Amino acid sequence: MPRGDGGLFMNLLRKPAVREFLRIIIAVSAALLLGFFITLLVSKQPLEAYRAFLLGPLSRFNRFGDWIEESITLTLVGLAVALVFKSKQFSLGAEGQILLGALVSGSIALFVPLPGYLRIPLALLAAMGVGFVWGYLPGYLKAHLNANEIVSTLMLNTIALKLYDYFLIFHIKPPNAGYNASETFTKDGILPSFVPPLPFLADLRARFMSQTNITIMLYLAILAFLVAYFLMYRTPFGYELRMIGANIKFARYGGINVKRTIILAFAVSGVFAGLAGAHLAMGIHTKLIQNISLGIGFEGIVVALMARNNPLFVPLSALAYGYLRAGADIMERSSDVSREMVLVIQALIILLVTAEQVLPVIQQRVAARREAQPAASLAEGGQ
């Protein structure tokens, strides 16, 4: 290889973004390889099963749509988690914010007698608003009462789940329904297709609407990650957020209002999670159903970790993780391997990706301990 090519390659490797990308690729590849070895042990047709897992989302048009739908929701939830994690606060509250966002937006879609061009924006704004409020609560508890944010967000998730089930079962579900679900939303309460309603796109629009539920939330997700990046890296709030995450004592010494910034970090993250709930209710299911989120709020943690809490990388991370989820469903339906296999692969990805963050900390502590030992030996010798 010519020296110039080698020098260019080494220069690329010195860039943090390139190194992070390569680390994630290696971690995911290693997890997939280990997952295949496990599949060899549990399946009579491991090659067919893993082929369905890896290539299934691209094999049919509707399966491709399922992958994109999953990725849109994961992008919004990943942004919600990344925003809080950037301030070194460990929030688990996205699940409750999703549920309440779905409940509020779905209720407006069902009961508010407005035309679609007013009802849909109102429902989306309401979902964002309730997410903001539900995120504000643990932020306030953490900032002013020093409450553990992991405990408070988990407890608020339980409250949100019970509120969702109560209103769905006792106030929204039709009396004669045999299962816990609302009526299907009317056209004015469903998010429109992402293909514009133009005459020359009529055939394409009809095809997408008949086989997928990809809606205008695709454009809103793109806007959301641009807004999140702007907030985090181009505003005073984002600067304060990152300073608190880097060193909270230094941030306080530098005059940053730490309590206000922590509260806003939790609250603003709830806006994105509430929007994800609206997508589930008005875009994917087009009705309110029990267990509407299926724990996707916790999946956002994996997305944020894989993206290193950088909003620019969250969509890529969501696409990769959404591909795993969609492939798992296809593998379960078309082979003798259960969907739990993907949970093993997901766990491996989490371990390998987070190890990249834990390892430098361990190395620093080991180095500090080694430096401290000679100093302690000298002190003992002097005595």
Side-chain angles (χ1 to χ4, degrees):
M1 179 183 291
R3 288 174 177 256
D5 294 341
L8 178 61
F9 181 73
M10 294 305 297
N11 288 334
L12 286 174
L13 287 180
R14 291 191 185 99
K15 294 183 178 181
V18 175
R19 290 202 305 270
E20 293 297 329
F21 179 75
L22 290 176
R23 287 173 181 175
I24 292 172
I25 293 297
I26 293 171
V28 173
S29 300
L32 291 174
L33 183 61
L34 290 173
F36 177 70
F37 286 132
I38 297 172
T39 306
L40 286 174
L41 300 176
V42 300
S43 175
K44 295 180 180 179
Q45 297 178 319
L47 291 176
E48 288 75 6
Y50 225 60
R51 186 182 296 112
F53 175 61
L54 293 178
L55 303 178
L58 301 177
S59 60
R60 296 180 187 173
F61 194 74
N62 62 324
R63 291 175 176 177
F64 175 80
D66 292 341
W67 168 37
I68 300 301
E69 293 160 25
E70 290 264 16
S71 301
I72 291 171
T73 309
L74 287 169
T75 295
L76 295 170
V77 182
L79 291 172
V81 175
L83 199 64
V84 179
F85 278 17
K86 199 68 175 180
S87 64
K88 290 295 188 291
Q89 307 301 313
F90 201 80
S91 172
L92 301 176
E95 184 73 9
Q97 296 154 5
I98 290 170
L99 289 169
L100 292 184
L103 176 64
V104 171
S105 62
S107 299
I108 292 175
L110 275 171
F111 302 119
V112 175
L114 289 173
Y117 63 86
L118 293 177
R119 191 188 308 188
I120 291 174
L122 177 62
L124 295 177
L125 289 174
M128 294 163 67
V130 74
F132 182 92
V133 172
W134 209 249
Y136 184 94
L137 295 176
Y140 183 89
L141 293 173
K142 173 67 176 182
H144 292 281
L145 302 178
N146 199 28
N148 187 289
E149 67 271 21
I150 298 177
V151 175
S152 62
T153 50
L154 284 175
M155 293 301 100
L156 285 169
N157 284 347
T158 302
I159 295 172
L161 174 62
K162 298 306 177 183
L163 285 173
Y164 180 91
D165 288 345
Y166 170 76
F167 282 105
L168 174 62
I169 295 170
F170 294 103
H171 296 283
I172 298 176
K173 182 189 77 170
N176 57 349
Y179 52 92
N180 295 327
S182 71
E183 296 177 345
T184 302
F185 302 159
T186 63
K187 183 179 179 181
D188 286 338
I190 297 175
L191 294 175
S193 171
F194 80 104
V195 181
L198 300 173
F200 63 91
L201 296 176
D203 292 339
L204 181 64
R205 180 180 173 86
R207 184 183 180 189
F208 271 99
M209 292 182 69
S210 64
Q211 299 190 49
T212 71
N213 289 325
I214 304 177
T215 67
I216 59 169
M217 192 61 75
L218 174 64
Y219 303 122
L220 294 179
I222 294 172
L223 179 62
F225 93 81
L226 293 175
V227 169
Y229 178 80
F230 180 80
L231 278 175
M232 192 176 292
Y233 293 103
R234 294 292 186 270
T235 65
F237 165 70
Y239 171 79
E240 294 172 355
L241 188 76
R242 289 181 284 116
M243 287 301 101
I244 290 174
N247 190 324
I248 191 169
K249 292 182 179 179
F250 178 80
R252 189 178 287 113
Y253 179 78
I256 293 175
N257 190 333
V258 173
K259 292 182 178 180
R260 183 197 64 190
T261 305
I262 289 176
I263 292 173
L264 284 177
F266 279 86
V268 174
S269 74
V271 171
F272 297 104
L275 197 59
H279 179 233
L280 290 175
M282 302 171 63
I284 302 236
H285 300 288
T286 64
K287 65 173 70 174
L288 292 176
I289 62 173
Q290 204 165 20
N291 299 320
I292 193 170
S293 69
L294 289 176
I296 200 169
F298 298 103
E299 309 282 359
I301 296 174
V302 184
V303 172
L305 286 175
M306 290 177 63
R308 291 292 195 270
N309 300 324
N310 188 329
L312 284 182
F313 297 144
V314 165
L316 296 176
S317 177
L319 283 169
Y321 195 70
Y323 195 92
L324 288 180
R325 285 171 58 95
D329 291 335
I330 298 167
M331 182 174 66
E332 180 185 20
R333 295 194 300 266
S334 59
S335 71
D336 59 348
V337 180
S338 68
R339 190 182 187 279
E340 279 66 28
M341 179 53 56
V342 80
L343 299 179
V344 177
I345 299 172
Q346 290 171 354
L348 291 170
I349 291 173
I350 296 170
L351 289 173
L352 292 173
V353 171
T354 54
E356 294 292 343
Q357 296 177 331
V358 174
L359 186 60
V361 176
I362 296 175
Q363 291 175 336
Q364 290 175 4
R365 291 183 178 180
V366 171
R369 190 173 298 174
R370 287 177 178 174
E371 292 176 359
Q373 286 177 352
S377 300
L378 289 174
E380 291 177 0
Q383 294 177 354

